[in-house]
Amino acid sequence: VNSAQRTPPGIGTSGRLSGDLVELQADIEWHENNYMKQLTFIEEGLVMASNMFAQDSPVDGRRKIIIIITDGVLMDGDKLAGVKSTLQQQQVIVFGIAARRFSARTQEDIDAEAALKPVVSSPADDHFMSLTLDEVPIEVLAGLCDPASKWGKYIAGTGSGSIGLPTGAVPCGQFVSKGVCNQEK
């Protein structure tokens, strides 16, 4: 234990930086169908993500983002300063979702939110949401390439967010299909 729950090989992104919305949705659906409600540890997952970002991107110019989805208080929040600093140096934008089982927020949900907010990029309120898993596709995935959405302004915009577009990146609005947002020069 003391590690993140992983999606099995062959399901969703299989731990790759695919950028494919269908694969990302498959990851979310797997976690929703296999809801475990165990202790939440993210240090290992963030280190793995940082290592992937340290390698050359398969397509230069894409933004580097992490979306953390947790259903409980982070048990290793006190160990994240080093990896958070590394991610900031790599210009990785960290978003967080405190996933609730029900529409009404419980004290457990509020505690999870309080533990996750210090991990996300600044300003924390712009990089954080408290949602049910059913709300994630609509509230998050559908707007990632929309510069008018809460998170899309940091991903698809032209610099209105905390980090401007990487060199060579193109605002998503210049693509015919938003499904290829920042996947081509």
Side-chain angles (χ1 to χ4, degrees):
V1 181
N2 291 352
S3 175
Q5 177 71 23
R6 297 184 181 133
T7 305
I11 294 179
T13 62
S14 298
R16 297 173 295 113
L17 295 175
S18 72
D20 185 292
L21 289 178
V22 173
E23 291 178 351
L24 293 168
Q25 181 64 37
D27 283 342
I28 290 171
E29 288 175 7
W30 184 89
H31 283 285
E32 183 176 28
N33 293 332
N34 294 277
Y35 185 78
M36 312 249 333
K37 194 59 181 169
Q38 296 179 348
L39 301 176
T40 303
F41 296 88
I42 65 167
E43 180 187 25
E44 179 185 354
L46 291 177
V47 169
M48 290 172 64
S50 175
N51 290 340
M52 284 191 273
F53 285 128
Q55 300 170 9
D56 290 335
S57 171
V59 180
D60 293 331
R62 277 197 241 181
R63 291 200 195 261
K64 300 172 189 175
I65 69 166
I66 293 174
I67 300 175
I68 300 168
I69 302 175
T70 183
D71 63 353
V73 173
L74 304 178
M75 302 306 293
D76 54 357
D78 59 332
K79 299 178 182 179
L80 302 178
V83 70
K84 183 175 178 183
S85 175
T86 300
L87 292 168
Q88 287 173 335
Q89 291 170 6
Q90 293 173 315
Q91 292 189 323
V92 176
I93 305 169
V94 180
F95 297 101
I97 299 170
R100 304 184 317 269
R101 287 211 56 164
F102 307 105
S103 296
R105 292 170 58 221
T106 64
Q107 186 59 50
E108 188 175 43
D109 296 328
I110 294 167
D111 293 343
E113 294 168 11
L116 182 56
K117 274 191 174 184
V119 180
V120 302
S121 296
S122 294
D125 286 340
D126 282 2
H127 294 83
F128 172 82
M129 291 187 203
S130 176
L131 304 168
T132 64
L133 283 177
D134 289 339
E135 294 172 319
V136 172
I138 296 164
E139 297 294 326
V140 177
L141 298 181
L144 285 181
C145 287
D146 180 356
S149 74
K150 181 174 182 173
W151 290 358
K153 69 181 178 182
Y154 292 96
I155 299 167
T158 57
S160 61
S162 59
I163 299 175
L165 282 173
T167 303
V170 178
C172 292
Q174 293 184 16
F175 288 105
V176 174
S177 167
K178 290 185 179 184
V180 295
C181 173
N182 283 324
Q183 293 184 12
E184 299 176 18
K185 281 189 174 183

